[in-house]
């Protein structure tokens, strides 16, 4: 039985020749922390009378090495999204197009003309790099970008309706993920919320009769992540624009996801484009950069010049402005939309959403064939039909036909397979459904395949050695 006396003293341990290697690779302070953590852990094991506590030199060196590795590893890292949820907020939303990646690489290591006008040699505005593109793609007169759509909504409301009343349907008082609730956002902006209609039905006359001398804005909010079905009535942007124009009150839409191309040819219905919303009479529209648009985190405000331009001078803009890396990625992504065919091919979110069932089935076959070449015999992959969703608060009812690969590793439970893959060096995130651990091929990217093979091999290895 090992006892506490078997734990080496820190000073002695540091003199071991193997430690010289670690000390050459890492700062002394880091090595000391790793040594202390390892010895503390060992002490705890011995005190708890744990079997198999390793006090041997080789085991200790290995444990210290592992500690150092874990401490120096990047926490935010790449994962393989095999959930089939295309815009997955927990997994970083939209994967960027190659063009966006190149743009980020080109401006990040050096200086750039973020706020410098190369034509005149004078100070420039960061918004100028994307404003023209946004106007071109949406038909807006003016546009402004900020950090995310939540900031866009707060900025727009503060600018258009601070200290005044905003009329909104009760059916659209939504919460989008814990921290974004429309009534709270409204309060933050200083506007007073006037709710009209009911949860399931709101009519144009409800808006009309709520208008007072203090009404600054008629607001519509995309219900994003839920749908009201059955006995419903929604007041459309056109209805609201009719009232707004008559009364001289602007109409704003928080479009949430925001879509720049018509996806109905791909059997994805019900989401008008931003251009359509503006044509229908919205005066200001806000939307996200990293949902359906498929770019970096960003909030875009597009609309009438006399309403959007004052926002460019608003004090909140300084707190909400975008950084150069996101701006570079956004500009490159927007440029792809000038050629819609190219956008659908090269923007991963659009590409994944519009893949046909036949293409996904072929893709599953290809992935399975490539993986099989390198997998241990205990891993098996079985094809099933299933459904994936768009995510990102878009198309809440949409179920896209997809192909799934069920992973089994020897006779391990799906829960154990899920955990092992989640903890692999490149984590693989899938889902368990009806007792099967499933990978949805829709969101597995071509460049993921070698890492997926590696992670499956690692998982098989760790499940073989681990005690159940
Ligand atoms: C997602 C969403 C937001 C928040 O957008 P972020 O870009 O995540 O800040 C706001 N409103 C609606 C309707 C949304 O769907």
């Amino acid at each position: 039985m090992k006892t506490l006396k078997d734990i080496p003293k820190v000073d002695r341990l540091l003199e071991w020749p193997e430690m010289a290697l670690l000390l050459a690779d890492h700062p002394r302070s880091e090595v000391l922390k790793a040594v202390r953590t390892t010895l503390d852990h060992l002490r705890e094991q011995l005190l708890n009378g744990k079997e198999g506590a390793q006090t041997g030199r080789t085991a200790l060196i290995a444990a210290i090495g592992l500690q150092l590795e874990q401490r120096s590893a990047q926490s935010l890292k790449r994962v393989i999204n095999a959930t089939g949820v295309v815009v997955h907020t927990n997994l970083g939303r939209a994967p960027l197009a190659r063009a966006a990646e190149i743009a980020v690489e080109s401006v990040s290591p050096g200086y750039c003309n973020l706020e410098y006008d190369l034509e005149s040699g004078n100070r420039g505005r960061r918004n100028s790099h994307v404003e023209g593109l946004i106007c071109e793609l949406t038909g807006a007169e003016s546009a402004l970008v900020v950090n995310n759509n939540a900031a866009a909504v707060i900025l727009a409301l503060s600018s258009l309706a601070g200290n005044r009343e905003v009329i909104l349907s009760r059916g659209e008082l939504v919460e989008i993920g814990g921290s974004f609730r429309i009534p709270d956002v409204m309060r933050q902006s200083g506007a007073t919320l006037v709710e009209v209609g009911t949860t399931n039905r709101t009519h144009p006359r409800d808006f009309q009769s709520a208008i007072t001398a203090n009404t600054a804005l008629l607001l519509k909010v995309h219900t994003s992540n839920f749908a009201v079905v059955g006995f419903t009535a929604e007041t459309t942007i056109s209805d609201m624009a009719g009232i707004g124009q008559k009364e001289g009150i602007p109409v704003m839409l928080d479009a949430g996801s925001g879509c720049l191309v018509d996806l109905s040819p791909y059997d994805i219905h019900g989401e008008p484009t931003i251009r359509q919303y503006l044509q229908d009479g919205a005066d200001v529209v806000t939307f996200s950069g990293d949902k359906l648009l498929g770019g970096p985190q960003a909030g875009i405000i597009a609309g009438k010049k006399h309403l959007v331009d004052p926002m460019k001078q608003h004090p909140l803009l300084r707190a909400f402005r975008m950084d150069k890396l996101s701006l570079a990625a956004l500009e490159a992504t927007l440029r792809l939309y000038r050629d819609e065919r190219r956008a659908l091919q090269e923007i991963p979110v659009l590409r994944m959403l519009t893949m046909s069932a036949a293409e996904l089935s072929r893709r599953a076959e290809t992935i399975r064939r490539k993986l099989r070449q390198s997998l241990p015999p205990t891993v098996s992959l079985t094809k099933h039909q299933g459904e994936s969703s768009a995510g990102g608060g878009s198309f809440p009812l949409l179920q896209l036909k997809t192909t799934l690969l069920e992973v089994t590793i020897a006779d391990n439970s799906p829960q154990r397979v899920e955990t092992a893959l989640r903890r692999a060096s490149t984590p693989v995130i899938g889902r368990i459904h009806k007792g099967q651990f499933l990978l949805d091929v829709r969101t597995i990217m071509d460049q993921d395949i070698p890492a997926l093979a590696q992670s499956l091999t690692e998982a098989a290895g760790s499940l073989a050695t681990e005690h159940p």
Side-chain angles (χ1 to χ4, degrees):
M1 185 69 188
K2 301 271 200 272
T3 68
L4 291 179
K5 281 202 218 79
D6 293 302
I7 300 180
K9 293 271 169 300
V10 174
D11 295 349
R12 294 287 304 281
L13 190 151
L14 285 172
E15 283 162 17
W16 292 351
E18 297 93 324
M19 292 303 292
L21 287 174
L22 294 179
L23 283 161
D25 283 349
H26 301 272
R28 192 178 169 81
S29 55
E30 282 298 294
V31 175
L32 268 173
K33 275 184 197 132
V35 167
R36 295 213 169 98
T37 309
T38 305
L39 296 185
D40 286 349
H41 182 61
L42 182 57
R43 193 168 300 118
E44 208 174 293
Q45 283 186 317
L46 290 172
L47 285 173
N48 293 335
K50 203 154 179 210
E51 295 282 321
Q54 307 240 12
T55 53
R57 184 145 158 174
T58 318
L60 280 178
I61 295 286
I64 293 163
L66 188 66
Q67 275 292 324
L68 280 166
E69 215 175 280
Q70 283 172 354
R71 280 182 61 84
S72 59
Q74 177 86 354
S75 166
L76 181 61
K77 59 179 175 181
R78 169 180 166 208
V79 305
I80 295 172
N81 175 9
T83 64
V85 179
V86 176
V87 180
H88 197 306
T89 294
N90 299 152
L91 302 183
R93 289 201 183 157
L96 294 183
R98 178 76 185 117
E101 187 188 345
I102 292 169
V104 172
E105 266 171 31
S106 86
V107 298
S108 51
Y111 299 98
C112 63
N113 61 335
L114 181 64
E115 291 187 357
Y116 187 76
D117 182 345
L118 294 171
E119 211 48 58
S120 68
N122 294 328
R123 189 191 164 137
R125 287 174 312 109
R126 62 180 71 204
N127 195 52
S128 68
H129 303 288
V130 288
E131 178 172 13
L133 272 165
I134 297 168
C135 292
E136 222 179 90
L137 297 169
T138 62
E141 293 170 6
S142 177
L144 178 61
V145 290
V146 290
N147 261 326
N148 50 41
N149 187 34
V153 173
I154 294 184
L155 174 59
L157 286 175
S158 307
S159 176
L160 298 171
N163 299 320
R164 297 183 61 206
E165 290 171 4
V166 175
I167 308 179
L168 170 68
S169 162
R170 283 207 169 81
E172 296 171 6
L173 280 170
V174 300
E175 169 179 315
I176 295 115
S179 54
F180 187 91
R181 310 178 93 192
I182 287 293
D184 300 343
V185 168
M186 194 82 85
R187 208 168 306 121
Q188 284 302 317
S189 71
T192 307
L193 171 65
V194 178
E195 302 169 32
V196 296
T198 60
T199 309
N200 56 329
R201 288 169 74 82
T202 302
H203 305 282
R205 62 172 185 273
D206 296 324
F207 278 88
Q208 183 70 58
S209 58
I211 292 172
T212 69
N214 204 22
T215 304
L217 189 69
L218 307 183
L219 176 66
K220 185 168 183 63
V221 177
H222 196 295
T223 51
S224 294
N225 46 13
F226 77 102
V228 184
V229 295
F231 184 57
T232 63
E234 181 189 347
T235 306
T236 64
I237 280 290
S238 316
D239 296 332
M240 290 168 66
I243 300 168
Q245 275 156 22
K246 187 158 59 81
E247 304 286 341
I249 300 169
V251 172
M252 168 173 151
L253 167 70
D254 170 9
S257 199
C259 192
L260 295 181
V261 291
D262 177 14
L263 293 173
S264 59
Y266 303 91
D267 241 6
I268 302 176
H269 299 280
E271 189 57 53
T273 59
I274 299 298
R275 178 182 290 278
Q276 186 64 50
Y277 282 130
L278 290 167
Q279 269 171 13
D280 286 349
D283 296 300
V284 173
V285 180
T286 72
F287 54 105
S288 287
D290 55 353
K291 291 184 180 173
L292 276 185
L293 193 141
Q297 182 185 302
I300 300 174
I301 306 172
K304 295 264 162 65
K305 194 170 168 55
H306 72 281
L307 299 173
V308 177
D309 281 0
M311 298 179 201
K312 297 174 183 169
Q313 316 297 331
H314 198 285
L316 273 179
L317 182 61
R318 180 62 181 75
F320 293 163
R321 71 185 190 185
M322 265 181 102
D323 86 298
K324 62 182 175 182
L325 302 186
S326 306
L327 199 55
L330 181 64
E331 182 189 349
T333 308
L334 290 170
R335 273 184 198 287
L336 292 173
Y337 278 97
R338 279 188 169 157
D339 178 349
E340 215 170 281
R341 261 201 348 231
R342 221 181 136 193
L344 285 159
Q345 274 305 315
E346 296 183 26
I347 295 176
V349 166
L350 296 181
R351 176 90 188 85
M352 290 174 181
L353 279 175
T354 57
M355 264 190 235
S356 71
E359 191 179 356
L360 285 158
S361 175
R362 280 197 302 278
R363 194 171 160 69
E365 205 40 67
T366 312
I367 293 176
R368 186 161 69 153
R369 205 177 48 245
K370 284 188 184 160
L371 289 176
R372 264 206 194 132
Q373 294 163 357
S374 61
L375 291 183
T378 48
V379 180
S380 69
L381 301 170
T382 316
K383 261 172 81 173
H384 296 288
Q385 297 308 305
E387 273 146 4
S388 20
S389 50
S394 46
F395 308 108
L397 302 181
L398 182 70
Q399 295 279 298
L400 297 161
K401 283 206 168 43
T402 193
T403 304
L404 307 163
L405 289 173
E406 179 190 359
V407 182
T408 54
I409 301 180
D411 54 1
N412 288 285
S413 68
Q415 284 74 18
R416 280 167 55 80
V417 174
E418 186 273 335
T419 307
L421 281 169
R422 175 160 41 81
R423 293 184 184 163
S425 55
T426 304
V428 180
I429 316 298
R431 64 179 131 110
I432 296 174
H433 183 66
K434 295 192 177 153
Q436 297 176 327
F437 178 73
L438 302 164
L439 306 179
D440 188 329
V441 302
R442 183 184 297 275
T443 48
I444 299 175
M445 309 181 79
D446 288 338
Q447 73 255 31
D448 289 336
I449 296 171
L452 178 57
Q454 168 70 29
S455 296
L456 284 164
T457 306
E458 272 176 43
S462 71
L463 288 170
T465 54
E466 190 184 291
H467 308 286

